[in-house]
Amino acid sequence: MDNKTNFSLEGKVALVTGASYGIGFAIAKAMAGAGATIVFNDIKQELVDKGIAAYKEEGITAHGYVCDVTDEEAVNAMVAKIEEEVGVIDVLVNNAGIIKRIPMIEMSAKDFRQVIDVDLNAPFIVSKAVIPSMIKKGHGKIINICSMMSEFGRETVSAYAAAKGGLKMLTRNIASEYGEYNIQCNGIGPGYIATPQTAPLREKQPDGSRHPFDQFIIAKTPAGRWGEASDLGGPAVFLASDASDFVNGQILYVDGGIQAYIGKQPS
C-alpha cells in the first residue's frame, strides 16, 4: 500500500462531536479533505444549521444531528440514525467539551460534575455506542480530544484537568480492551490554540503590549506562537487513517513543543 492510499479516508464515515465550529470543525474539514464523509452533532438545532452552512461554504456536504452527548439514550438513537442514513461509523472523534475556570474551593460540586459529564462521561457514552458496529465491521478508529491538562495541573481548572486526565486513561483502556478487534483508540492533546474562546487572552493591552497570558504562552512555546485549529488536522487524519493501524493507546500532543521545554532563563 502506498503512502497516498495509507493516509486516505475515502469511503470512511467520520463522526466528530460538537463540530459546528472551532477545533472540531477544523478536524472535520481536514478529514473531509482526505475523503471522509463527515457527520457531526451539536446540542441545538441552530448550531447544527450554522455548522452545515459553514461546511457548505467550504464545499463540504456534512450531515448534522441534534444530540446531547451526555444523554446515553439520545446518543444511541443518533448513532442508529447515522448508520441508517449515512453508514456505519468508521471514525469517531470525541471533540465536544467544556471548561469552567473557577478556583477549586469556589467551585460547586454541580459545576464540577457538569464538566466531568461533558468531557469524560460523554466520550465513554459515544464510544460505547459506536464500538459494537466497529467490531462487526472489523475495524474502527476512536480519537479523543485530550489536553495538556491530561498531564498538567493549573489554577482554576480542577474539573477540566480531572476530566482530561481521566480521558487519557479511558483512551488507553479502550485500546487495551478492543485492540484485538482492530480498533485503535488514541488521543490528541492540543496546546494553546487560537480560537474565539481564547481571543480575550490574546488581546492587546491599552499600552499596546501583549496580554500577560499571551506573553506567558509565547515564552513557554518553542514554536513562538499559538497553535491554529488547522494544526490539528494532519495529526487527526493520521490517527483516523490506515497509516496508524499499529498505533494504539497513545496521546499525540500538538503543542508547539511546550511539554519538551523547561523555558527560557530569566534575563
Side-chain angles (χ1 to χ4, degrees):
M1 185 179 291
D2 62 34
N3 280 335
K4 186 175 181 181
T5 306
N6 226 11
F7 285 89
S8 172
L9 299 181
E10 288 289 341
K12 302 291 178 67
V13 175
L15 167 61
V16 186
T17 66
S20 297
Y21 58 91
I23 286 173
F25 182 85
I27 287 173
K29 179 181 171 183
M31 289 185 174
T37 297
I38 300 302
V39 182
F40 73 100
N41 81 291
D42 220 311
I43 199 165
K44 296 178 181 177
Q45 185 65 54
E46 63 190 78
L47 292 174
V48 170
D49 292 342
K50 286 181 181 179
I52 289 173
Y55 284 109
K56 190 173 182 180
E57 282 184 18
E58 298 288 343
I60 299 167
T61 301
H63 305 264
Y65 295 83
V66 177
C67 181
D68 177 353
V69 287
T70 68
D71 182 335
E72 186 169 12
E73 187 176 323
V75 167
N76 290 338
M78 177 183 71
V79 169
K81 197 170 183 183
I82 291 168
E83 290 187 355
E84 179 185 342
E85 297 179 349
V86 186
V88 171
I89 295 161
D90 300 285
V91 179
L92 166 64
V93 182
N94 282 309
N95 165 75
I98 61 170
I99 188 170
K100 289 179 179 284
R101 294 183 176 89
I102 305 170
M104 181 175 166
I105 62 172
E106 297 174 16
M107 189 175 212
S108 68
K110 181 180 178 182
D111 281 339
F112 188 91
R113 290 190 190 102
Q114 184 186 10
V115 175
I116 297 294
D117 205 22
V118 176
D119 293 358
L120 181 56
N121 289 343
F124 164 78
I125 289 168
V126 185
S127 298
K128 180 183 171 187
V130 304
I131 285 171
S133 291
M134 288 181 173
I135 291 173
K136 288 179 185 177
K137 199 165 185 178
H139 72 81
K141 302 281 187 174
I142 298 174
I143 302 169
N144 291 324
I145 303 303
C146 295
S147 167
M148 288 195 299
M149 298 303 107
S150 297
E151 302 292 341
F152 302 137
R154 211 177 161 271
E155 300 87 347
T156 76
V157 293
S158 58
Y160 185 77
K164 293 300 186 177
L167 186 58
K168 174 182 72 174
M169 294 312 300
L170 178 63
T171 299
R172 291 176 175 172
N173 205 80
I174 292 172
S176 302
E177 197 163 351
Y178 297 103
E180 65 179 294
Y181 300 102
N182 194 28
I183 294 172
Q184 291 83 48
C185 181
N186 294 288
I188 291 176
Y192 285 91
I193 306 298
T195 64
Q197 291 91 329
T198 61
L201 301 174
R202 291 177 281 108
E203 287 179 351
K204 292 286 187 182
Q205 301 301 286
D207 64 0
S209 65
R210 289 180 180 272
H211 188 288
F213 191 79
D214 188 16
Q215 294 179 42
F216 168 71
I217 292 305
I218 296 301
K220 292 292 290 183
T221 307
R225 66 175 178 88
W226 287 66
E228 300 292 336
S230 58
D231 289 322
L232 302 168
V237 168
F238 164 64
L239 291 176
S241 73
D242 294 344
S244 63
D245 278 354
F246 205 56
V247 179
N248 213 356
Q250 304 301 309
I251 312 299
L252 175 54
Y253 290 99
V254 186
D255 64 2
I258 287 179
Q259 293 192 70
Y261 188 43
I262 196 171
K264 292 180 180 179
Q265 180 177 330
S267 56

